[in-house]
Amino acid sequence: MIITNFSKHRNEFKEPKILKAKPHWQGQNLSDSTVKGKDPKIQDTPTDSSIVNNLNRGRVAIFIDGLNLFHTALQLGIEIDYVKLLCHLTNGSRLLRAFFYTGVDISNEKQQGFLLWMRRNGYRVVAKDITQPTENFKKSNLNVEIAVDMLTLAPYYDTAVLVSGDGDLAYAVNAVSRMGVRVEVVSLQTSTSESLIDVADCFIDLDSIKTHIQKDSNLGYSYRTPSNSNL
């Protein structure tokens, strides 16, 4: 009887000690994120403008595929307010860093001014020169840069917010998930790869939050270009 009581008391106090000593990078309990079935994911999908309000997201890192988001905004018929977007995706959590990946046309002065504004308003801009293959079709793919940054910084954040619907990023998402990171994918459901949704812990349809991230029609930003800045 004495041994039984001793074991019982040890079990009662052992569990809280483990939880208290849990490393910060593990984020959610592993039991919450190891099951990747579709039913839990459907429950995670918000039905209103809230983004996982009830979760302890820990430190958050945001990775935005700029070109993908631009085309999504066109489909939704809105113009993105990037201040509102950053606030909504962070949602009161501790922000490690917010990356914005985009192709750059060095001859486009308006775009240069926009990127300067982004750098001064909370974003770390990762840019790549736009290539121009045959048939005058310009493109720039930054999936490698997104994947490398997600993996490199994984030990320093608990939740990754990926704003993209590109299925090529599914492997990177799966890799950081195995490292204990919770991954939220934010994109337009109708144009998001199923393979990306399947490996994410949570999917948020941009259509459900568009009213909270779109630019007010009566407001505008005065993007400064390098020629008229003090840099």
CSV table of all heavy atoms in Angstrom, one decimal, residues 12-60:
chain,number,residue,atom,x,y,z
A,12,GLU,N,1.0,12.2,-10.0
A,12,GLU,CA,0.2,13.4,-10.0
A,12,GLU,C,1.1,14.6,-10.2
A,12,GLU,O,0.7,15.6,-10.8
A,12,GLU,CB,-0.4,13.5,-8.6
A,12,GLU,CG,-1.6,12.5,-8.4
A,12,GLU,CD,-2.2,12.6,-7.0
A,12,GLU,OE1,-1.6,13.3,-6.2
A,12,GLU,OE2,-3.2,11.9,-6.8
A,13,PHE,N,2.3,14.5,-9.8
A,13,PHE,CA,3.2,15.7,-9.9
A,13,PHE,C,4.2,15.7,-11.0
A,13,PHE,O,4.8,16.7,-11.4
A,13,PHE,CB,4.0,15.9,-8.6
A,13,PHE,CG,3.1,16.3,-7.4
A,13,PHE,CD1,2.6,15.4,-6.5
A,13,PHE,CD2,2.8,17.7,-7.2
A,13,PHE,CE1,1.8,15.8,-5.5
A,13,PHE,CE2,2.0,18.1,-6.2
A,13,PHE,CZ,1.5,17.1,-5.3
A,14,LYS,N,4.3,14.5,-11.6
A,14,LYS,CA,5.3,14.4,-12.7
A,14,LYS,C,4.8,15.1,-14.0
A,14,LYS,O,5.6,15.8,-14.6
A,14,LYS,CB,5.5,12.9,-13.0
A,14,LYS,CG,6.6,12.7,-14.1
A,14,LYS,CD,6.8,11.2,-14.3
A,14,LYS,CE,7.9,10.9,-15.3
A,14,LYS,NZ,8.1,9.5,-15.5
A,15,GLU,N,3.5,15.0,-14.3
A,15,GLU,CA,3.0,15.6,-15.5
A,15,GLU,C,3.2,17.1,-15.6
A,15,GLU,O,3.6,17.7,-16.6
A,15,GLU,CB,1.6,15.2,-15.8
A,15,GLU,CG,1.0,15.7,-17.1
A,15,GLU,CD,1.7,15.1,-18.3
A,15,GLU,OE1,2.3,14.0,-18.1
A,15,GLU,OE2,1.6,15.7,-19.4
A,16,PRO,N,2.8,17.9,-14.5
A,16,PRO,CA,3.0,19.3,-14.5
A,16,PRO,C,4.4,19.7,-14.7
A,16,PRO,O,4.7,20.7,-15.4
A,16,PRO,CB,2.4,19.8,-13.2
A,16,PRO,CG,1.5,18.7,-12.8
A,16,PRO,CD,2.1,17.4,-13.3
A,17,LYS,N,5.4,19.0,-14.2
A,17,LYS,CA,6.8,19.3,-14.3
A,17,LYS,C,7.2,19.2,-15.8
A,17,LYS,O,8.0,20.0,-16.2
A,17,LYS,CB,7.6,18.4,-13.4
A,17,LYS,CG,7.5,18.7,-11.9
A,17,LYS,CD,8.4,17.8,-11.1
A,17,LYS,CE,8.3,18.2,-9.6
A,17,LYS,NZ,9.2,17.3,-8.8
A,18,ILE,N,6.7,18.2,-16.5
A,18,ILE,CA,7.1,18.0,-17.9
A,18,ILE,C,6.5,19.2,-18.7
A,18,ILE,O,7.2,19.8,-19.5
A,18,ILE,CB,6.5,16.7,-18.4
A,18,ILE,CG1,7.2,15.5,-17.7
A,18,ILE,CG2,6.7,16.6,-19.9
A,18,ILE,CD1,6.7,14.2,-18.1
A,19,LEU,N,5.3,19.6,-18.4
A,19,LEU,CA,4.7,20.7,-19.2
A,19,LEU,C,5.4,22.0,-18.9
A,19,LEU,O,5.6,22.8,-19.8
A,19,LEU,CB,3.2,20.8,-18.8
A,19,LEU,CG,2.3,19.6,-19.2
A,19,LEU,CD1,0.9,19.8,-18.7
A,19,LEU,CD2,2.3,19.5,-20.7
A,20,LYS,N,5.8,22.2,-17.7
A,20,LYS,CA,6.5,23.4,-17.3
A,20,LYS,C,7.8,23.5,-18.0
A,20,LYS,O,8.3,24.6,-18.4
A,20,LYS,CB,6.6,23.5,-15.8
A,20,LYS,CG,7.2,24.8,-15.3
A,20,LYS,CD,7.2,24.9,-13.8
A,20,LYS,CE,7.7,26.2,-13.3
A,20,LYS,NZ,7.8,26.3,-11.9
A,21,ALA,N,8.5,22.4,-18.1
A,21,ALA,CA,9.8,22.4,-18.7
A,21,ALA,C,9.8,22.3,-20.2
A,21,ALA,O,10.9,22.1,-20.8
A,21,ALA,CB,10.7,21.3,-18.1
A,22,LYS,N,8.7,22.3,-20.9
A,22,LYS,CA,8.6,22.1,-22.3
A,22,LYS,C,9.3,23.2,-23.1
A,22,LYS,O,9.1,24.4,-22.8
A,22,LYS,CB,7.1,22.1,-22.7
A,22,LYS,CG,6.8,21.8,-24.1
A,22,LYS,CD,5.3,21.8,-24.3
A,22,LYS,CE,4.9,21.6,-25.8
A,22,LYS,NZ,3.5,21.7,-26.0
A,23,PRO,N,10.2,22.9,-24.0
A,23,PRO,CA,10.9,23.9,-24.8
A,23,PRO,C,9.9,24.8,-25.6
A,23,PRO,O,8.9,24.3,-26.0
A,23,PRO,CB,11.7,23.1,-25.8
A,23,PRO,CG,11.8,21.7,-25.1
A,23,PRO,CD,10.6,21.5,-24.4
A,24,HIS,N,10.3,26.1,-25.7
A,24,HIS,CA,9.3,27.0,-26.3
A,24,HIS,C,9.1,26.8,-27.8
A,24,HIS,O,8.0,27.1,-28.3
A,24,HIS,CB,9.9,28.4,-26.1
A,24,HIS,CG,11.0,28.7,-27.1
A,24,HIS,ND1,12.3,28.3,-26.8
A,24,HIS,CD2,11.0,29.4,-28.3
A,24,HIS,CE1,13.1,28.7,-27.8
A,24,HIS,NE2,12.3,29.4,-28.7
A,25,TRP,N,10.0,26.1,-28.4
A,25,TRP,CA,9.9,25.9,-29.9
A,25,TRP,C,8.9,24.8,-30.3
A,25,TRP,O,8.5,24.7,-31.4
A,25,TRP,CB,11.2,25.6,-30.6
A,25,TRP,CG,11.9,24.4,-30.0
A,25,TRP,CD1,11.7,23.1,-30.4
A,25,TRP,CD2,13.0,24.4,-29.1
A,25,TRP,NE1,12.5,22.3,-29.7
A,25,TRP,CE2,13.3,23.1,-28.9
A,25,TRP,CE3,13.7,25.4,-28.4
A,25,TRP,CZ2,14.3,22.7,-28.0
A,25,TRP,CZ3,14.7,25.0,-27.5
A,25,TRP,CH2,15.0,23.7,-27.4
A,26,GLN,N,8.4,24.1,-29.3
A,26,GLN,CA,7.5,23.0,-29.6
A,26,GLN,C,6.1,23.5,-29.8
A,26,GLN,O,5.3,22.9,-30.4
A,26,GLN,CB,7.5,21.9,-28.5
A,26,GLN,CG,8.8,21.1,-28.5
A,26,GLN,CD,8.7,20.0,-27.5
A,26,GLN,OE1,7.7,19.8,-26.8
A,26,GLN,NE2,9.8,19.2,-27.3
A,27,GLY,N,5.8,24.7,-29.3
A,27,GLY,CA,4.4,25.3,-29.5
A,27,GLY,C,3.3,24.4,-29.0
A,27,GLY,O,3.4,24.0,-27.8
A,28,GLN,N,2.4,24.0,-29.8
A,28,GLN,CA,1.2,23.2,-29.4
A,28,GLN,C,1.7,21.8,-28.9
A,28,GLN,O,2.8,21.3,-29.3
A,28,GLN,CB,0.3,23.0,-30.6
A,28,GLN,CG,-0.6,24.2,-30.8
A,28,GLN,CD,-1.6,24.4,-29.8
A,28,GLN,OE1,-1.5,25.2,-28.9
A,28,GLN,NE2,-2.7,23.6,-29.8
A,29,ASN,N,0.9,21.2,-28.0
A,29,ASN,CA,1.2,19.8,-27.7
A,29,ASN,C,1.3,19.0,-28.9
A,29,ASN,O,0.5,19.1,-29.8
A,29,ASN,CB,0.1,19.3,-26.7
A,29,ASN,CG,0.2,20.0,-25.4
A,29,ASN,OD1,1.2,20.5,-25.0
A,29,ASN,ND2,-1.0,20.0,-24.7
A,30,LEU,N,2.3,18.1,-29.0
A,30,LEU,CA,2.4,17.3,-30.1
A,30,LEU,C,1.2,16.4,-30.4
A,30,LEU,O,0.9,16.1,-31.6
A,30,LEU,CB,3.7,16.4,-30.0
A,30,LEU,CG,5.0,17.1,-29.9
A,30,LEU,CD1,6.1,16.1,-29.8
A,30,LEU,CD2,5.2,17.9,-31.1
A,31,SER,N,0.5,16.1,-29.4
A,31,SER,CA,-0.8,15.3,-29.6
A,31,SER,C,-1.8,16.0,-30.4
A,31,SER,O,-2.7,15.5,-31.0
A,31,SER,CB,-1.3,14.9,-28.2
A,31,SER,OG,-1.7,16.0,-27.5
A,32,ASP,N,-1.7,17.4,-30.4
A,32,ASP,CA,-2.7,18.2,-31.1
A,32,ASP,C,-2.4,18.3,-32.6
A,32,ASP,O,-3.2,18.5,-33.4
A,32,ASP,CB,-2.7,19.6,-30.5
A,32,ASP,CG,-3.3,19.6,-29.1
A,32,ASP,OD1,-4.0,18.7,-28.7
A,32,ASP,OD2,-3.0,20.6,-28.4
A,33,SER,N,-1.1,18.1,-32.9
A,33,SER,CA,-0.7,18.3,-34.3
A,33,SER,C,-0.3,17.1,-35.1
A,33,SER,O,0.0,17.2,-36.3
A,33,SER,CB,0.4,19.4,-34.4
A,33,SER,OG,1.5,18.9,-33.6
A,34,THR,N,-0.1,15.9,-34.4
A,34,THR,CA,0.3,14.8,-35.1
A,34,THR,C,-0.7,14.1,-35.9
A,34,THR,O,-0.4,13.5,-36.9
A,34,THR,CB,0.9,13.7,-34.1
A,34,THR,OG1,-0.2,13.5,-33.1
A,34,THR,CG2,2.1,14.2,-33.4
A,35,VAL,N,-2.0,14.3,-35.6
A,35,VAL,CA,-3.1,13.7,-36.4
A,35,VAL,C,-3.4,14.7,-37.5
A,35,VAL,O,-3.8,15.8,-37.3
A,35,VAL,CB,-4.3,13.5,-35.6
A,35,VAL,CG1,-5.4,12.9,-36.4
A,35,VAL,CG2,-4.0,12.6,-34.4
A,36,LYS,N,-3.2,14.2,-38.8
A,36,LYS,CA,-3.3,15.1,-39.9
A,36,LYS,C,-4.6,14.8,-40.7
A,36,LYS,O,-4.7,15.0,-41.9
A,36,LYS,CB,-2.1,15.0,-40.8
A,36,LYS,CG,-0.8,15.4,-40.2
A,36,LYS,CD,-0.8,16.9,-40.0
A,36,LYS,CE,0.5,17.4,-39.5
A,36,LYS,NZ,0.6,18.8,-39.3
A,37,GLY,N,-5.6,14.2,-40.0
A,37,GLY,CA,-6.8,13.9,-40.8
A,37,GLY,C,-7.6,15.1,-41.2
A,37,GLY,O,-7.4,16.2,-40.7
A,38,LYS,N,-8.5,15.0,-42.1
A,38,LYS,CA,-9.2,16.1,-42.6
A,38,LYS,C,-10.3,16.7,-41.7
A,38,LYS,O,-10.6,17.8,-41.7
A,38,LYS,CB,-9.9,15.8,-44.0
A,38,LYS,CG,-8.8,15.6,-45.1
A,38,LYS,CD,-9.5,15.4,-46.4
A,38,LYS,CE,-8.5,15.3,-47.6
A,38,LYS,NZ,-9.1,15.1,-48.9
A,39,ASP,N,-10.8,15.8,-40.8
A,39,ASP,CA,-11.9,16.2,-39.9
A,39,ASP,C,-11.3,17.3,-38.9
A,39,ASP,O,-12.0,18.3,-38.8
A,39,ASP,CB,-12.5,15.0,-39.1
A,39,ASP,CG,-13.3,14.2,-40.1
A,39,ASP,OD1,-13.7,14.7,-41.1
A,39,ASP,OD2,-13.5,13.0,-39.7
A,40,PRO,N,-10.2,17.1,-38.2
A,40,PRO,CA,-9.7,18.1,-37.3
A,40,PRO,C,-9.4,19.4,-38.1
A,40,PRO,O,-9.6,20.5,-37.6
A,40,PRO,CB,-8.4,17.5,-36.7
A,40,PRO,CG,-8.6,16.0,-36.9
A,40,PRO,CD,-9.4,15.9,-38.1
A,41,LYS,N,-8.9,19.3,-39.3
A,41,LYS,CA,-8.6,20.5,-40.1
A,41,LYS,C,-9.8,21.3,-40.4
A,41,LYS,O,-9.8,22.5,-40.4
A,41,LYS,CB,-7.8,20.1,-41.3
A,41,LYS,CG,-7.1,21.2,-42.0
A,41,LYS,CD,-6.2,20.7,-43.1
A,41,LYS,CE,-5.1,19.8,-42.4
A,41,LYS,NZ,-4.2,19.2,-43.4
A,42,ILE,N,-10.9,20.6,-40.7
A,42,ILE,CA,-12.1,21.3,-41.0
A,42,ILE,C,-12.6,22.1,-39.8
A,42,ILE,O,-13.0,23.2,-39.9
A,42,ILE,CB,-13.2,20.3,-41.5
A,42,ILE,CG1,-12.8,19.7,-42.8
A,42,ILE,CG2,-14.6,21.0,-41.6
A,42,ILE,CD1,-13.8,18.7,-43.3
A,43,GLN,N,-12.4,21.5,-38.6
A,43,GLN,CA,-12.8,22.2,-37.4
A,43,GLN,C,-11.9,23.4,-37.2
A,43,GLN,O,-12.3,24.4,-36.6
A,43,GLN,CB,-12.7,21.3,-36.2
A,43,GLN,CG,-13.7,20.1,-36.3
A,43,GLN,CD,-13.5,19.1,-35.2
A,43,GLN,OE1,-12.6,19.3,-34.3
A,43,GLN,NE2,-14.3,18.1,-35.1
A,44,ASP,N,-10.6,23.4,-37.6
A,44,ASP,CA,-9.7,24.5,-37.4
A,44,ASP,C,-10.0,25.7,-38.3
A,44,ASP,O,-9.7,26.8,-38.0
A,44,ASP,CB,-8.2,24.0,-37.7
A,44,ASP,CG,-7.6,23.5,-36.4
A,44,ASP,OD1,-8.1,23.6,-35.4
A,44,ASP,OD2,-6.5,22.9,-36.6
A,45,THR,N,-10.6,25.4,-39.4
A,45,THR,CA,-10.9,26.5,-40.4
A,45,THR,C,-11.9,27.5,-39.8
A,45,THR,O,-13.0,27.1,-39.4
A,45,THR,CB,-11.5,25.9,-41.7
A,45,THR,OG1,-10.6,24.9,-42.2
A,45,THR,CG2,-11.7,27.0,-42.7
A,46,PRO,N,-11.5,28.7,-39.7
A,46,PRO,CA,-12.4,29.7,-39.1
A,46,PRO,C,-13.7,29.9,-39.8
A,46,PRO,O,-13.7,29.9,-41.1
A,46,PRO,CB,-11.5,31.0,-39.0
A,46,PRO,CG,-10.2,30.5,-39.3
A,46,PRO,CD,-10.3,29.3,-40.1
A,47,THR,N,-14.8,30.2,-39.2
A,47,THR,CA,-16.0,30.5,-39.8
A,47,THR,C,-16.3,32.0,-39.8
A,47,THR,O,-17.3,32.5,-40.3
A,47,THR,CB,-17.2,29.8,-39.1
A,47,THR,OG1,-17.2,30.1,-37.7
A,47,THR,CG2,-17.0,28.3,-39.3
A,48,ASP,N,-15.4,32.8,-39.1
A,48,ASP,CA,-15.5,34.2,-39.0
A,48,ASP,C,-14.2,34.8,-39.3
A,48,ASP,O,-13.3,34.2,-39.9
A,48,ASP,CB,-16.1,34.6,-37.7
A,48,ASP,CG,-15.3,34.1,-36.5
A,48,ASP,OD1,-14.1,33.7,-36.7
A,48,ASP,OD2,-15.8,34.1,-35.4
A,49,SER,N,-14.0,36.1,-38.9
A,49,SER,CA,-12.7,36.8,-39.2
A,49,SER,C,-11.6,36.4,-38.2
A,49,SER,O,-10.5,36.9,-38.4
A,49,SER,CB,-13.0,38.3,-39.1
A,49,SER,OG,-13.4,38.7,-37.8
A,50,SER,N,-11.9,35.6,-37.2
A,50,SER,CA,-10.9,35.3,-36.2
A,50,SER,C,-9.9,34.3,-36.8
A,50,SER,O,-10.2,33.5,-37.6
A,50,SER,CB,-11.5,34.7,-34.9
A,50,SER,OG,-12.4,35.6,-34.4
A,51,ILE,N,-8.6,34.5,-36.4
A,51,ILE,CA,-7.6,33.5,-36.8
A,51,ILE,C,-7.1,32.8,-35.5
A,51,ILE,O,-6.3,33.4,-34.7
A,51,ILE,CB,-6.4,34.2,-37.5
A,51,ILE,CG1,-6.9,34.7,-38.9
A,51,ILE,CG2,-5.3,33.3,-37.7
A,51,ILE,CD1,-5.8,35.3,-39.7
A,52,VAL,N,-7.5,31.6,-35.4
A,52,VAL,CA,-7.1,30.7,-34.2
A,52,VAL,C,-6.9,31.5,-32.9
A,52,VAL,O,-5.9,31.5,-32.3
A,52,VAL,CB,-5.8,30.0,-34.6
A,52,VAL,CG1,-6.1,28.9,-35.6
A,52,VAL,CG2,-4.7,30.9,-35.1
A,53,ASN,N,-8.0,32.2,-32.5
A,53,ASN,CA,-8.0,33.0,-31.3
A,53,ASN,C,-7.7,32.2,-30.1
A,53,ASN,O,-7.1,32.7,-29.1
A,53,ASN,CB,-9.3,33.8,-31.2
A,53,ASN,CG,-9.3,35.0,-32.0
A,53,ASN,OD1,-8.3,35.6,-32.3
A,53,ASN,ND2,-10.5,35.3,-32.5
A,54,ASN,N,-8.1,30.9,-30.1
A,54,ASN,CA,-8.1,30.1,-28.9
A,54,ASN,C,-6.8,29.3,-28.7
A,54,ASN,O,-6.6,28.5,-27.8
A,54,ASN,CB,-9.3,29.2,-28.8
A,54,ASN,CG,-10.6,29.9,-28.7
A,54,ASN,OD1,-10.7,31.0,-28.1
A,54,ASN,ND2,-11.6,29.4,-29.3
A,55,LEU,N,-5.9,29.5,-29.7
A,55,LEU,CA,-4.6,28.7,-29.6
A,55,LEU,C,-3.5,29.5,-29.0
A,55,LEU,O,-3.4,30.7,-29.3
A,55,LEU,CB,-4.3,28.2,-31.0
A,55,LEU,CG,-5.2,27.2,-31.7
A,55,LEU,CD1,-4.7,26.9,-33.1
A,55,LEU,CD2,-5.2,25.9,-30.9
A,56,ASN,N,-2.6,28.8,-28.3
A,56,ASN,CA,-1.4,29.5,-27.9
A,56,ASN,C,-0.4,29.3,-29.0
A,56,ASN,O,0.3,28.3,-29.1
A,56,ASN,CB,-0.9,28.8,-26.6
A,56,ASN,CG,0.4,29.4,-26.1
A,56,ASN,OD1,0.8,30.5,-26.5
A,56,ASN,ND2,1.1,28.7,-25.2
A,57,ARG,N,-0.3,30.4,-29.8
A,57,ARG,CA,0.6,30.3,-31.0
A,57,ARG,C,2.0,30.5,-30.8
A,57,ARG,O,2.9,30.3,-31.6
A,57,ARG,CB,0.1,31.3,-32.1
A,57,ARG,CG,-1.4,31.1,-32.4
A,57,ARG,CD,-1.9,32.3,-33.1
A,57,ARG,NE,-1.6,32.3,-34.5
A,57,ARG,CZ,-1.5,33.4,-35.3
A,57,ARG,NH1,-1.7,34.6,-34.7
A,57,ARG,NH2,-1.2,33.3,-36.6
A,58,GLY,N,2.4,31.0,-29.6
A,58,GLY,CA,3.8,31.3,-29.3
A,58,GLY,C,4.3,32.4,-30.2
A,58,GLY,O,3.6,33.3,-30.5
A,59,ARG,N,5.6,32.2,-30.6
A,59,ARG,CA,6.2,33.2,-31.5
A,59,ARG,C,5.8,32.9,-32.9
A,59,ARG,O,6.0,31.7,-33.3
A,59,ARG,CB,7.7,33.3,-31.3
A,59,ARG,CG,8.4,34.3,-32.2
A,59,ARG,CD,9.8,34.5,-31.7
A,59,ARG,NE,9.8,35.3,-30.5
A,59,ARG,CZ,10.9,35.9,-29.9
A,59,ARG,NH1,12.1,35.6,-30.5
A,59,ARG,NH2,10.9,36.6,-28.8
A,60,VAL,N,5.4,33.9,-33.7
A,60,VAL,CA,4.9,33.7,-35.0
A,60,VAL,C,5.9,34.3,-36.1
A,60,VAL,O,6.4,35.3,-35.9
A,60,VAL,CB,3.5,34.4,-35.2
A,60,VAL,CG1,3.1,34.4,-36.6
A,60,VAL,CG2,2.5,33.7,-34.3
